[in-house]
Amino acid sequence: LKESLESEQMKAKVLKAEDLAMKEQIERFDEVFMAKNDEIDRLQEVVSLKHEVLIDIEKEREQERKTSEIRTTALGREIEDLRDELDSLKEKNQSLLATQASTPN
């Protein structure tokens, strides 16, 4: 009877130790799980911030493209104006040369 009681007590101690070990293992798993969730949250925040930066960069590029188009259009107009002015000056020059040629010295 005594041996049976001691055997049962040993079994109870072993079960208690196993239960404690399982609880500690569950606690460690919970800690790791929570740490991983925190890491996921941080990574999601980083991804979100990078996404915002990319959107800002895209907006900046679009604005630069529009500004470049405006400059190109303005330069095109200026070039046309200068060509017109050059043509006008050429015509005046030819008119003056024709007048000079027809005027006796």
Side-chain angles (χ1 to χ4, degrees), residues 37-55:
N37 275 340
D38 289 345
E39 185 177 347
I40 288 170
D41 289 344
R42 283 191 302 275
L43 289 173
Q44 285 175 334
E45 188 175 327
V46 166
V47 167
S48 177
L49 290 172
K50 286 184 177 185
H51 183 70
E52 288 176 23
V53 167
L54 287 174
I55 288 172

Side-chain angles (χ1 to χ4, degrees), residues 5 16 42 48 64 66 77 104-105:
L5 181 62
K16 200 172 191 178
R42 283 191 302 275
S48 177
E64 287 174 2
K66 287 179 181 177
R77 285 188 198 125
N105 287 338

Side-chain angles (χ1 to χ4, degrees), residues 24-83:
E24 288 174 356
Q25 191 174 6
I26 289 171
E27 285 176 10
R28 283 193 302 272
F29 175 80
D30 284 346
E31 288 171 3
V32 168
F33 184 77
M34 288 171 61
K36 291 293 182 184
N37 275 340
D38 289 345
E39 185 177 347
I40 288 170
D41 289 344
R42 283 191 302 275
L43 289 173
Q44 285 175 334
E45 188 175 327
V46 166
V47 167
S48 177
L49 290 172
K50 286 184 177 185
H51 183 70
E52 288 176 23
V53 167
L54 287 174
I55 288 172
D56 289 346
I57 289 171
E58 188 59 35
K59 286 179 183 176
E60 203 173 292
R61 284 183 180 163
E62 181 64 20
Q63 187 60 42
E64 287 174 2
R65 186 188 62 75
K66 287 179 181 177
T67 302
S68 177
E69 284 178 4
I70 290 168
R71 284 187 189 136
T72 301
T73 302
L75 286 173
R77 285 188 198 125
E78 194 174 330
I79 288 170
E80 281 301 312
D81 291 347
L82 289 172
R83 283 185 181 147

